[in-house]
Amino acid sequence: KYTYDREDLANRLSDGCIIGHTTPHSSKIWVRVAVEGIYSLIVSRQRIRVAPDEIGDQPIDWYLPTIGIFNPILEHHHFTSATDKTHVFTITGLEPNTVYHYAVVAAPEVTIYRRWRLGFEQKHCFKTPPLPYEHSHVNFGFFSCHDPFKKGNSGIDLWDDFFDILNEYQAS
């Protein structure tokens, strides 16, 4: 059995999205990528269906119309290790009560085995709330009891700490 003793050797989340605060007209989308570089977040009313290798070296704004994606919201960001290769996109101009599909694609110059990072294998979507919209305050916590570096409590002892933190921030 191998025991990790260095944090940089552990497996980490490579690519992922979390849909955050969403109103009838906007949404915040947190993105993490595996490799530094420029990536595009595509948000569209049309379902995004692609063969991930088909894009080749084409710029994303040229490629999307060839697969039937017209007038998407297209945001770009240069991800770096300084922010753990994460970024929160604020998407505006959305319509109420509407399903939006999203995907993340690396720029042609990013050295990575597949440019399509998210949104091609599985349906990635969210829905804006309808009008009239009543904002409600929601706090939530995301925790894991996985502690491969034995830096603190482990296993069952962590749940009491998690509970205290959630109460401190009035999460429910």
Side-chain angles (χ1 to χ4, degrees), residues 5 7 20 27 42 48 65-66 70 80 85-86 88 97-98 101-102 105 119 124 140-141 152 155 161-163 165 167:
D5 61 354
E7 213 166 320
S27 185
I42 305 159
I48 301 167
T66 70
F70 300 100
T80 67
K85 297 171 278 193
T86 65
V88 176
N97 202 31
T98 303
H101 302 270
Y102 63 93
V105 181
H124 284 66
F140 70 95
D161 293 338
F162 295 161
F163 182 75
I165 291 168
N167 279 337

Side-chain angles (χ1 to χ4, degrees), residues 3 7 20-21 24 51 65 72 77 99 144-145 156 162 164 172:
T3 304
E7 213 166 320
H21 181 72
H77 182 73
V99 173
S144 170
C145 61
I156 196 71
F162 295 161
D164 292 341
S172 53

Side-chain angles (χ1 to χ4, degrees), residues 82-96:
T83 58
D84 196 28
K85 297 171 278 193
T86 65
H87 179 68
V88 176
F89 291 92
T90 300
I91 307 300
T92 59
L94 304 178
E95 295 294 322

Side-chain angles (χ1 to χ4, degrees), residues 33-101:
V33 296
V35 175
E36 288 186 347
I38 297 172
Y39 291 78
S40 300
L41 174 68
I42 305 159
V43 177
S44 172
R45 288 184 183 176
Q46 294 108 355
R47 174 119 187 243
I48 301 167
R49 297 176 189 212
V50 298
D53 298 327
E54 202 174 79
I55 190 171
D57 289 337
Q58 297 177 65
I60 191 65
D61 54 337
W62 293 3
Y63 178 70
L64 290 174
T66 70
I67 60 169
I69 305 296
F70 300 100
N71 302 313
I73 296 169
L74 194 57
E75 298 281 335
H76 313 283
H77 182 73
H78 185 228
F79 289 79
T80 67
S81 292
T83 58
D84 196 28
K85 297 171 278 193
T86 65
H87 179 68
V88 176
F89 291 92
T90 300
I91 307 300
T92 59
L94 304 178
E95 295 294 322
N97 202 31
T98 303
V99 173
Y100 287 93
H101 302 270

Side-chain angles (χ1 to χ4, degrees), residues 132-167:
Y133 175 68
E134 291 185 32
H135 175 73
S136 61
H137 187 77
V138 177
N139 287 328
F140 70 95
F142 179 82
F143 294 101
S144 170
C145 61
H146 181 66
D147 185 12
F149 314 110
K150 310 291 186 258
K151 290 185 177 180
N153 295 333
S154 62
I156 196 71
D157 297 335
L158 287 174
W159 294 108
D160 290 335
D161 293 338
F162 295 161
F163 182 75
D164 292 341
I165 291 168
L166 290 170
N167 279 337

